[in-house]
Short mmCIF file of all heavy atoms in Angstrom, two decimals:
data_model
loop_
_atom_site.label_atom_id
_atom_site.label_comp_id
_atom_site.label_asym_id
_atom_site.label_seq_id
_atom_site.Cartn_x
_atom_site.Cartn_y
_atom_site.Cartn_z
N ASP A 1 3.60 10.86 5.60
CA ASP A 1 4.32 11.97 4.96
C ASP A 1 5.07 11.48 3.73
O ASP A 1 5.00 10.30 3.38
CB ASP A 1 5.28 12.61 5.97
CG ASP A 1 4.54 13.37 7.06
OD1 ASP A 1 3.42 13.84 6.81
OD2 ASP A 1 5.10 13.49 8.18
N ASN A 2 5.82 12.39 3.11
CA ASN A 2 6.59 12.08 1.91
C ASN A 2 7.53 10.89 2.12
O ASN A 2 8.39 10.92 3.00
CB ASN A 2 7.48 13.27 1.52
CG ASN A 2 6.79 14.22 0.60
OD1 ASN A 2 5.60 14.45 0.77
ND2 ASN A 2 7.50 14.77 -0.36
N ARG A 3 7.36 9.88 1.33
CA ARG A 3 8.28 8.75 1.30
C ARG A 3 7.85 7.87 0.13
O ARG A 3 6.73 7.96 -0.35
CB ARG A 3 8.27 7.97 2.62
CG ARG A 3 6.91 7.47 3.07
CD ARG A 3 6.94 6.93 4.49
NE ARG A 3 7.82 5.76 4.59
CZ ARG A 3 8.41 5.39 5.72
NH1 ARG A 3 8.24 6.10 6.82
NH2 ARG A 3 9.18 4.31 5.76
N TYR A 4 8.74 7.00 -0.31
CA TYR A 4 8.43 6.14 -1.45
C TYR A 4 7.19 5.30 -1.19
O TYR A 4 6.34 5.10 -2.07
CB TYR A 4 9.63 5.24 -1.76
CG TYR A 4 9.27 4.10 -2.68
CD1 TYR A 4 8.87 4.35 -3.99
CD2 TYR A 4 9.30 2.79 -2.22
CE1 TYR A 4 8.50 3.30 -4.83
CE2 TYR A 4 8.94 1.74 -3.05
CZ TYR A 4 8.54 2.01 -4.36
OH TYR A 4 8.16 0.97 -5.17
N GLU A 5 7.05 4.80 0.05
CA GLU A 5 5.90 3.94 0.37
C GLU A 5 4.56 4.65 0.17
O GLU A 5 3.54 4.02 -0.01
CB GLU A 5 6.00 3.43 1.82
CG GLU A 5 7.12 2.43 2.05
CD GLU A 5 8.44 3.08 2.38
OE1 GLU A 5 8.56 4.33 2.24
OE2 GLU A 5 9.37 2.35 2.78
N TRP A 6 4.61 6.00 0.23
CA TRP A 6 3.37 6.75 0.00
C TRP A 6 2.82 6.44 -1.39
O TRP A 6 1.66 6.08 -1.54
CB TRP A 6 3.62 8.27 0.14
CG TRP A 6 2.32 9.03 0.29
CD1 TRP A 6 1.78 9.48 1.44
CD2 TRP A 6 1.39 9.35 -0.75
NE1 TRP A 6 0.56 10.09 1.19
CE2 TRP A 6 0.30 10.02 -0.15
CE3 TRP A 6 1.35 9.16 -2.13
CZ2 TRP A 6 -0.81 10.48 -0.87
CZ3 TRP A 6 0.24 9.61 -2.86
CH2 TRP A 6 -0.81 10.26 -2.23
N MET A 7 3.67 6.60 -2.39
CA MET A 7 3.20 6.39 -3.77
C MET A 7 2.88 4.93 -4.03
O MET A 7 1.90 4.62 -4.73
CB MET A 7 4.24 6.91 -4.77
CG MET A 7 3.78 6.85 -6.23
SD MET A 7 2.18 7.65 -6.55
CE MET A 7 2.64 9.38 -6.45
N ALA A 8 3.68 4.00 -3.49
CA ALA A 8 3.39 2.57 -3.68
C ALA A 8 2.03 2.23 -3.09
O ALA A 8 1.23 1.51 -3.70
CB ALA A 8 4.49 1.73 -3.04
N THR A 9 1.74 2.76 -1.90
CA THR A 9 0.45 2.50 -1.25
C THR A 9 -0.70 3.14 -2.03
O THR A 9 -1.75 2.52 -2.24
CB THR A 9 0.47 3.05 0.19
OG1 THR A 9 1.53 2.43 0.92
CG2 THR A 9 -0.86 2.80 0.90
N ASP A 10 -0.48 4.38 -2.45
CA ASP A 10 -1.51 5.10 -3.21
C ASP A 10 -1.88 4.34 -4.48
O ASP A 10 -3.06 4.16 -4.80
CB ASP A 10 -0.99 6.50 -3.55
CG ASP A 10 -1.99 7.31 -4.35
OD1 ASP A 10 -3.10 7.57 -3.84
OD2 ASP A 10 -1.67 7.69 -5.50
N GLN A 11 -0.87 3.87 -5.21
CA GLN A 11 -1.13 3.14 -6.45
C GLN A 11 -1.79 1.78 -6.18
O GLN A 11 -2.61 1.31 -6.98
CB GLN A 11 0.17 2.95 -7.24
CG GLN A 11 0.77 4.25 -7.78
CD GLN A 11 -0.13 4.92 -8.80
OE1 GLN A 11 -0.82 4.29 -9.60
NE2 GLN A 11 -0.15 6.25 -8.78
N ALA A 12 -1.45 1.16 -5.05
CA ALA A 12 -2.08 -0.11 -4.70
C ALA A 12 -3.57 0.10 -4.42
O ALA A 12 -4.42 -0.70 -4.84
CB ALA A 12 -1.40 -0.72 -3.48
N LEU A 13 -3.90 1.19 -3.73
CA LEU A 13 -5.31 1.50 -3.45
C LEU A 13 -6.06 1.79 -4.74
O LEU A 13 -7.20 1.35 -4.93
CB LEU A 13 -5.41 2.69 -2.48
CG LEU A 13 -4.88 2.46 -1.06
CD1 LEU A 13 -4.95 3.76 -0.25
CD2 LEU A 13 -5.67 1.36 -0.35
N ILE A 14 -5.41 2.54 -5.65
CA ILE A 14 -6.04 2.84 -6.94
C ILE A 14 -6.28 1.56 -7.73
O ILE A 14 -7.34 1.38 -8.34
CB ILE A 14 -5.15 3.83 -7.75
CG1 ILE A 14 -5.19 5.22 -7.09
CG2 ILE A 14 -5.62 3.93 -9.20
CD1 ILE A 14 -4.22 6.22 -7.68
N ALA A 15 -5.30 0.65 -7.71
CA ALA A 15 -5.43 -0.63 -8.43
C ALA A 15 -6.62 -1.43 -7.92
O ALA A 15 -7.31 -2.12 -8.69
CB ALA A 15 -4.15 -1.45 -8.30
N LEU A 16 -6.89 -1.35 -6.63
CA LEU A 16 -8.01 -2.09 -6.03
C LEU A 16 -9.35 -1.37 -6.21
O LEU A 16 -10.40 -1.95 -5.96
CB LEU A 16 -7.75 -2.29 -4.53
CG LEU A 16 -6.61 -3.24 -4.15
CD1 LEU A 16 -6.28 -3.12 -2.67
CD2 LEU A 16 -6.97 -4.68 -4.51
N GLY A 17 -9.28 -0.09 -6.61
CA GLY A 17 -10.51 0.69 -6.71
C GLY A 17 -10.97 1.22 -5.36
O GLY A 17 -12.11 1.67 -5.20
N ALA A 18 -10.07 1.16 -4.36
CA ALA A 18 -10.38 1.69 -3.04
C ALA A 18 -10.27 3.21 -3.07
O ALA A 18 -9.66 3.79 -3.97
CB ALA A 18 -9.43 1.11 -1.99
N ILE A 19 -10.85 3.87 -2.08
CA ILE A 19 -10.84 5.33 -2.01
C ILE A 19 -9.87 5.77 -0.91
O ILE A 19 -10.13 5.56 0.27
CB ILE A 19 -12.25 5.88 -1.72
CG1 ILE A 19 -13.24 5.41 -2.80
CG2 ILE A 19 -12.24 7.41 -1.64
CD1 ILE A 19 -14.70 5.58 -2.40
N GLY A 20 -8.74 6.35 -1.30
CA GLY A 20 -7.75 6.80 -0.34
C GLY A 20 -8.16 8.14 0.28
O GLY A 20 -8.60 9.05 -0.43
N ILE A 21 -7.99 8.23 1.60
CA ILE A 21 -8.31 9.48 2.31
C ILE A 21 -7.00 9.94 2.97
O ILE A 21 -6.71 9.57 4.10
CB ILE A 21 -9.41 9.26 3.37
CG1 ILE A 21 -10.62 8.55 2.74
CG2 ILE A 21 -9.84 10.58 4.00
CD1 ILE A 21 -11.62 8.02 3.75
N PRO A 22 -6.17 10.71 2.26
CA PRO A 22 -4.82 10.98 2.74
C PRO A 22 -4.72 12.19 3.67
O PRO A 22 -5.51 13.14 3.59
CB PRO A 22 -4.07 11.26 1.44
CG PRO A 22 -5.11 11.90 0.56
CD PRO A 22 -6.42 11.28 0.93
N ARG A 23 -3.72 12.14 4.53
CA ARG A 23 -3.45 13.24 5.45
C ARG A 23 -2.02 13.11 5.94
O ARG A 23 -1.43 12.02 5.89
CB ARG A 23 -4.41 13.15 6.63
CG ARG A 23 -4.66 14.46 7.35
CD ARG A 23 -5.52 15.37 6.52
NE ARG A 23 -5.83 16.59 7.27
CZ ARG A 23 -6.33 17.65 6.71
NH1 ARG A 23 -6.59 17.66 5.42
NH2 ARG A 23 -6.59 18.74 7.41
N GLY A 24 -1.42 14.19 6.45
CA GLY A 24 -0.06 14.16 6.94
C GLY A 24 0.04 13.67 8.38
O GLY A 24 -0.96 13.66 9.12
N CYS A 25 1.25 13.27 8.79
CA CYS A 25 1.47 12.74 10.14
C CYS A 25 1.22 13.77 11.24
O CYS A 25 1.02 13.40 12.39
CB CYS A 25 2.89 12.21 10.28
SG CYS A 25 3.16 10.68 9.37
N ASP A 26 1.26 15.06 10.89
CA ASP A 26 1.06 16.09 11.91
C ASP A 26 -0.41 16.40 12.16
O ASP A 26 -0.74 17.33 12.89
CB ASP A 26 1.80 17.37 11.51
CG ASP A 26 1.36 17.91 10.16
OD1 ASP A 26 0.48 17.29 9.53
OD2 ASP A 26 1.89 18.94 9.72
N THR A 27 -1.31 15.62 11.57
CA THR A 27 -2.74 15.84 11.78
C THR A 27 -3.09 15.69 13.26
O THR A 27 -2.79 14.66 13.87
CB THR A 27 -3.57 14.83 10.95
OG1 THR A 27 -3.22 14.96 9.57
CG2 THR A 27 -5.07 15.07 11.12
N PRO A 28 -3.72 16.71 13.85
CA PRO A 28 -4.12 16.60 15.27
C PRO A 28 -5.15 15.48 15.46
O PRO A 28 -5.94 15.19 14.55
CB PRO A 28 -4.75 17.97 15.57
CG PRO A 28 -4.26 18.88 14.49
CD PRO A 28 -4.05 18.02 13.28
N THR A 29 -5.16 14.87 16.63
CA THR A 29 -6.07 13.76 16.92
C THR A 29 -7.53 14.15 16.70
O THR A 29 -8.31 13.39 16.13
CB THR A 29 -5.87 13.27 18.37
OG1 THR A 29 -4.52 12.83 18.51
CG2 THR A 29 -6.81 12.12 18.71
N GLN A 30 -7.89 15.35 17.14
CA GLN A 30 -9.28 15.81 17.01
C GLN A 30 -9.70 15.89 15.54
O GLN A 30 -10.81 15.50 15.17
CB GLN A 30 -9.42 17.19 17.67
CG GLN A 30 -10.86 17.67 17.77
CD GLN A 30 -10.94 19.01 18.50
OE1 GLN A 30 -9.95 19.57 18.94
NE2 GLN A 30 -12.15 19.53 18.62
N GLU A 31 -8.77 16.37 14.69
CA GLU A 31 -9.07 16.48 13.25
C GLU A 31 -9.16 15.10 12.61
O GLU A 31 -10.03 14.84 11.78
CB GLU A 31 -7.99 17.33 12.58
CG GLU A 31 -8.43 17.90 11.23
CD GLU A 31 -7.48 18.98 10.74
OE1 GLU A 31 -7.65 20.14 11.12
OE2 GLU A 31 -6.56 18.63 9.97
N LEU A 32 -8.25 14.21 13.00
CA LEU A 32 -8.27 12.84 12.48
C LEU A 32 -9.58 12.16 12.86
O LEU A 32 -10.20 11.46 12.05
CB LEU A 32 -7.08 12.06 13.02
CG LEU A 32 -7.01 10.58 12.62
CD1 LEU A 32 -6.93 10.41 11.11
CD2 LEU A 32 -5.81 9.90 13.29
N GLU A 33 -10.00 12.35 14.09
CA GLU A 33 -11.25 11.76 14.57
C GLU A 33 -12.43 12.26 13.73
O GLU A 33 -13.30 11.48 13.34
CB GLU A 33 -11.46 12.13 16.04
CG GLU A 33 -12.69 11.49 16.66
CD GLU A 33 -12.83 11.83 18.14
OE1 GLU A 33 -12.18 12.80 18.61
OE2 GLU A 33 -13.60 11.14 18.84
N TYR A 34 -12.43 13.57 13.44
CA TYR A 34 -13.51 14.15 12.63
C TYR A 34 -13.53 13.52 11.23
O TYR A 34 -14.59 13.13 10.73
CB TYR A 34 -13.34 15.67 12.52
CG TYR A 34 -14.30 16.29 11.52
CD1 TYR A 34 -15.63 16.54 11.86
CD2 TYR A 34 -13.88 16.56 10.21
CE1 TYR A 34 -16.51 17.08 10.93
CE2 TYR A 34 -14.76 17.09 9.29
CZ TYR A 34 -16.07 17.35 9.64
OH TYR A 34 -16.94 17.86 8.71
#
């Protein structure tokens, strides 16, 4: 969820050329699994 580490992590993934697949902490287990 919203926090400073979100943006730091996002920018680190972008710097590496990795593909971020973001979602909120309230994501149900079934949806996360999908």
